[in-house]
Amino acid sequence: MIDQAFAHSFANEWIEAWNSHDLEQVLSHYADDFEMHSPVIAQIVGEPSGMLQGKQAVGAYWSQALQLLPDLQFELLTVLAGVNSITLYYRGALDRLAAEVFHFGPDGKVVKAFAHYGV
């Protein structure tokens, strides 16, 4: 189970890492072979499935995204905790609303993440 302290700590660290554009710190929250699912993956790297696996592939994608959006800043709106998962609801790139669902392994690292964006 995810407790409130872990959920808020993760959320604050994750947002801070993104806002400082510290890709190494962002990636430190993830298992080496984690899966990232996002419709933006298809747009930026041309992967039609919208899914990438592993820190190397996702790190390259996020690096490219940071180059495209050098002023990227996230504003955390709320944190929702579930069973071995957390959802962060935030204002993201281009002032767009986003919800990201993180599934955690037993070591507290993200094993799967699913990004959703306002339409």
Side-chain angles (χ1 to χ4, degrees), residues 36-43 47 49-51 61 113-117:
M36 180 68 210
H37 300 257
S38 170
V40 179
I41 288 171
Q43 296 169 347
E47 172 52 53
S49 70
M51 192 273 283
Y61 153 63
F114 300 84
H116 305 78
Y117 302 99

Side-chain angles (χ1 to χ4, degrees), residues 18-67:
W18 274 109
N19 286 348
S20 64
H21 295 199
D22 186 342
L23 191 52
E24 186 173 319
Q25 186 61 31
V26 172
L27 287 167
S28 74
H29 294 96
Y30 297 86
D32 289 338
D33 62 346
F34 81 100
E35 288 181 13
M36 180 68 210
H37 300 257
S38 170
V40 179
I41 288 171
Q43 296 169 347
I44 292 182
V45 297
E47 172 52 53
S49 70
M51 192 273 283
L52 293 173
Q53 187 162 8
K55 283 187 179 183
Q56 184 175 358
V58 178
Y61 153 63
W62 284 341
S63 178
Q64 191 173 357
L66 285 170
Q67 290 173 15

Side-chain angles (χ1 to χ4, degrees), residues 60-82:
Y61 153 63
W62 284 341
S63 178
Q64 191 173 357
L66 285 170
Q67 290 173 15
L68 292 170
L69 299 163
D71 297 329
L72 179 70
Q73 291 291 293
F74 292 162
E75 175 192 358
L76 183 63
L77 300 174
T78 196
V79 181
L80 306 169

